[in-house]
Amino acid sequence: MDYLENIRAQIRKGILEFAILVVIEEKEIYASDILKKLRETELIVVEGTLYPLLSRLKRHELVTYAWKESKSGPPRKYYKLTAKGREALESLKDSWKSLYTSINSLRKNNEKGN
Amino acid sequence: MKKVINITIGGMVFTVEEDAYKKLSDYLDAIKAHFTKDKDGDEIIEDIEASIAEKFSKRKNKNAAVTGKDVAAVMEQMGSLKDFKKLSEEEDDDAETDDSSEEGGKKLYRDPDDNIIAGVASGLAAYFGIDALLIRVLFVISIFFGGFGIMLYLLLWLVIPLAESRSQKLEMKGERITLHEIEKSVKKEIHRLKKKDLSALKKFGSELGELILVLLKALQKIIGAAFMLTGIAGVFILSFALTWQLSGGDIPDTNLTLNDFIVVTETMYWVFVLSVYVLMVVPLILAFLLGLGMMKNVSVIRGGEFVLLLVLWFGALGLTGSVVFENLPLIETRFEEIDEHYEFEQDEYFYIDEVRDFEEPKAPAMPF
């Protein structure tokens, strides 16, 4: 893989869980709809990679799910944030902000320097 | 014309064309193999299967049989095994192992590429970094000790999983042997054998396999208990013997102590006694741990500890062997003495020599 593309992939992977938490924050949602939203942003392309992430979030008690019947197909898991998940999300949002600020301040420094 | 197969996936029944079935089951098997080590593996596979079921039931012509095309479309959305692997590459650091046994050791697998029977010997050879031929020779030799080698081989066949994927073949880490894994590998092995067999044997094979599994489960506890008892009793008896020896007691029925058999310095003598003790007690400890694991259905033997015990045992073997070898003539003399002493006692009690008739041994009949 192209080195630059590799770096991009690393960044995407780093924020995937954060992105999933953001998607779930709004309302209870099931895997396929989470996937749809993530696909719109091109953060995730294949469905299979979503399930390990959801299981991991569940194991760390950041999300929980409830079963709901579906008209087409087997019952679905509807995910929502736990209290712990909300806390984690808030703290991740802070981290995100600080990352953003860090890069921006570095860039501003450059502009001043030039 | 195509044959169709009924399957259930995600709790729903679908009719699938034969080639599509093959494709789907290969895909799912690969995914399962990939997630076997994952703590959430079962759940992830359930999720994936449920999603596949949903996709199948959302097809336009949902009452028609699932075709190879449908399966390909599902696979494309779900992602290839490569995608899964890519994701888990950096998760290995996150893998939060709850056991500390994975301490840089190697992983014990059976090698399917270099096998004579089931790849046990070549797997062991890879694990210990020695030539497979040596292990094979040891196995063959050990068969002459009451079939010990055969039992050991069968046990190892059950216990050691087969290296299936390329990553497993490359993997050289230590892993705990749990009963869950044993059961899984037995199932896998049966599956593998079923695939191999001729179709006429298939049914018989699968029935036999199920039967073996049931029997194995029942036997597991019994064998476990037996191992545990043997181990515990053995350790107890040996430890008693050691204490007896330390307090200077005689070997029963003689007035000799172990000291009379060998000529070594005082320190060396105690080292020798201890190494004899270790030599006998290590297999008993292993038997006990194995039994305990079988009873409790959890693993109690960790790779590191196992290697430590093995090293201890070989050390003890070397020490004992060298001392015994050096003192071989003396030991022989002592044993002769014991025999004489024993005969003498018998004579005393039964006055055998007074009634003993010496008959000339009859000359064998000449063949001509």
Side-chain angles (χ1 to χ4, degrees), chain A residues 23-93:
Chain A
V23 172
I24 299 176
E25 182 186 19
E26 195 194 347
K27 59 169 201 259
E28 278 186 73
I29 187 167
Y30 92 110
S32 285
D33 286 340
I34 299 175
L35 189 76
K36 254 181 230 157
K37 295 206 170 191
L38 290 175
R39 271 202 183 130
E40 284 164 18
T41 61
E42 291 182 2
L43 273 172
I44 210 169
V45 253
V46 293
E47 186 175 348
T49 49
L50 177 64
Y51 298 112
L53 293 169
L54 283 173
S55 301
R56 209 144 290 135
L57 287 171
K58 202 204 107 206
R59 194 174 76 220
H60 288 91
E61 296 168 350
L62 300 186
V63 305
T64 175
Y65 61 76
W67 288 101
K68 283 194 184 164
E69 289 299 325
S70 135
K71 279 172 286 169
S72 61
R76 296 165 171 177
K77 286 174 179 174
Y78 274 80
Y79 289 88
K80 64 176 181 195
L81 292 188
T82 61
K84 202 175 159 191
R86 260 173 223 294
E87 254 171 57
L89 181 57
E90 289 314 314
S91 121
L92 283 174
K93 280 177 183 169

Side-chain angles (χ1 to χ4, degrees), chain A residues 30-33 36 47 70-74 76 78, chain B residues 12 14 50-63 66 70 74 77:
Chain A
Y30 92 110
S32 285
D33 286 340
K36 254 181 230 157
E47 186 175 348
S70 135
K71 279 172 286 169
S72 61
R76 296 165 171 177
Y78 274 80
Chain B
M12 299 183 78
F14 294 97
S51 169
I52 290 175
E54 186 163 337
K55 287 185 175 57
F56 282 165
S57 54
K58 272 185 179 166
R59 289 174 306 145
K60 276 180 214 135
N61 45 350
K62 60 181 169 195
N63 292 324
V66 175
D70 294 328
V74 162
Q77 275 186 287

Side-chain angles (χ1 to χ4, degrees), chain B residues 275-296:
Chain B
S275 70
V276 171
Y277 177 72
V278 169
L279 194 65
M280 293 195 282
V281 95
V282 164
L284 291 166
I285 290 174
L286 281 178
F288 172 74
L289 288 178
L290 186 67
L292 189 68
M294 290 172 98
M295 291 286 287
K296 285 171 65 184

Side-chain angles (χ1 to χ4, degrees), chain B residues 178-231:
Chain B
T178 64
L179 267 159
H180 182 61
E181 271 157 15
I182 295 176
E183 196 184 314
K184 241 191 317 192
S185 73
V186 168
K187 276 184 183 155
K188 237 188 249 167
E189 191 62 21
I190 287 162
H191 189 64
R192 204 170 76 96
L193 289 177
K194 269 196 285 185
K195 271 187 183 168
K196 242 191 210 170
D197 279 353
L198 300 165
S199 58
L201 282 171
K202 260 188 190 169
K203 208 176 155 229
F204 175 69
S206 79
E207 278 168 1
L208 193 69
E210 298 295 325
L211 185 71
I212 288 172
L213 263 185
V214 172
L215 284 177
L216 264 179
K217 275 192 174 169
L219 268 178
Q220 174 187 314
K221 302 267 169 189
I222 301 169
I223 295 172
F227 269 123
M228 257 181 86
L229 284 178
T230 315

Side-chain angles (χ1 to χ4, degrees), chain B residues 90-105:
Chain B
E90 78 281 1
E91 269 162 22
D92 286 346
D93 325 323
D94 170 61
E96 286 186 35
T97 41
D98 54 350
D99 54 323
S100 52
S101 70
E102 312 217 349
E103 38 191 48

